[in-house]
Amino acid sequence: MIITEISNKPISIIKNSTISDAIKMLLNTKISRLIVNDGGKHIGIITEKDIGLFLFSETTKRGLEEIPITDIMNPIEFVKQDITPEDAAKIMIERKVSSLAIGEKQEVKAIITKSDLVRYFAEKPSEKSKVVDFMTHDYEYTHTAAPLYKVVRKMLEKKISRIIVKNQQEEPVGVISFRDLFRISIELGSEDDFSGTNFDNVRRGFLSTEGFGDISLARDVMSKGLITIKFNEDLVEACNVLLENNVSGLVVLDGNNSIAGIISKSDVAKALSS
């Protein structure tokens, strides 16, 4: 099989759009990347992770609706259309990207993502692999009462896109991902939200000690509950759960129902490449 058989048409956003526009489109379409279109030419790509890393480490006072997507877009990674999904997985890992484009310079005909690789892995006949064989055993966590800016700081320092939230009894009660942070950025990040206040230094639309990152807590933002899978389940089953819930990672439980780690789409790509 070649990657054109599992690829999809890209969804694009026009060049003069703002980060606010991009976040809204990502949330509405439930995808994690957009191709930047300039008069029919595809000039870059912007991903959920790109936005997250920029928003939560940037020090500008500009609002979301003032920052053009061209400030943070990245080059498009092209590959030949006749490579296999296994080759695509290897390339993604080597280049540290989550998608590849099929086409020519400035013309993306199709795109393949880690989600496509997960779907391919789930459907192709293969030797049985267990979640425990490919999961990431380490995981990061925070607590429900942690200020949001501290949560974001840890996510940036650890270079992770999700963090488990525990209550005061050290019980896991939820997860925070970039997508959750985007939602609160849109809800609280407009200029009107701070009208009539004395917050001269508020960075509208950003999570920081100067903005609402100091007054919002982890429990205000987290997605409640955990989507889990047992460590001894087939990796194919993990793929199905990832796809059914449209998430990029699952919490892995051990034999005592304690958290043993995380299995993500990146881990599935590594399994496919091996």
Side-chain angles (χ1 to χ4, degrees), residues 224-273:
K224 296 180 180 178
L226 303 175
I227 304 175
T228 64
I229 192 159
K230 283 295 187 75
F231 75 103
N232 57 353
E233 285 278 5
D234 287 340
L235 189 55
V236 167
E237 178 58 22
C239 291
N240 290 327
V241 178
L242 285 167
L243 295 169
E244 288 168 6
N245 292 277
N246 191 31
V247 292
S248 59
L250 305 173
V251 174
V252 181
L253 302 179
D254 62 19
N256 297 316
N257 284 330
S258 298
I259 298 176
I262 300 287
I263 186 77
S264 68
K265 291 178 180 178
S266 295
D267 294 321
V268 176
K270 291 175 183 176
L272 185 60
S273 69

Side-chain angles (χ1 to χ4, degrees), residues 23-170:
I23 291 175
K24 290 174 182 176
M25 186 175 289
L26 289 172
L27 291 176
N28 290 336
T29 57
K30 296 182 179 180
I31 60 173
S32 55
R33 65 193 43 76
L34 299 165
I35 298 294
V36 181
N37 190 323
D38 181 17
K41 295 180 180 179
H42 298 143
I43 61 171
I45 188 169
I46 183 170
T47 69
E48 207 173 67
K49 190 171 184 179
D50 295 330
I51 297 174
L53 293 175
F54 174 82
L55 287 187
F56 311 133
S57 59
E58 173 66 10
T59 58
T60 179
K61 293 181 181 179
R62 291 181 297 171
L64 294 174
E65 69 285 350
E66 299 173 287
I67 304 172
I69 57 174
T70 49
D71 279 10
I72 62 170
M73 72 178 186
N74 282 304
I76 301 170
E77 297 282 348
F78 284 96
V79 292
K80 295 180 180 179
Q81 64 179 14
D82 57 353
I83 68 170
T84 65
E86 289 80 5
D87 289 335
K90 291 177 183 177
I91 293 171
M92 285 186 193
I93 293 168
E94 290 170 358
R95 299 183 186 179
K96 298 181 180 180
V97 296
S98 57
S99 62
L100 298 169
I102 303 167
E104 302 172 347
K105 188 176 182 180
Q106 296 191 330
E107 183 184 2
V108 177
K109 295 180 179 178
I111 194 163
I112 181 169
T113 68
K114 285 182 179 175
S115 294
D116 299 319
L117 296 181
V118 169
R119 190 172 294 106
Y120 168 75
F121 190 96
E123 295 174 353
K124 83 183 191 82
S126 62
E127 295 182 10
K128 295 293 183 180
S129 300
K130 298 293 184 182
V131 169
V132 68
D133 297 328
F134 294 99
M135 61 182 274
T136 300
H137 291 271
D138 296 329
Y139 71 93
E140 296 295 330
Y141 68 90
T142 187
H143 288 91
T144 52
L148 208 49
Y149 77 89
K150 289 188 177 180
V151 178
V152 172
R153 182 186 298 165
K154 178 178 281 193
M155 292 174 72
L156 291 174
E157 289 174 352
K158 301 295 183 178
K159 297 181 180 179
I160 55 176
S161 55
R162 73 191 64 79
I163 189 167
I164 293 171
V165 184
K166 295 183 178 182
N167 61 19
Q168 290 181 332
Q169 290 73 43
E170 297 299 317

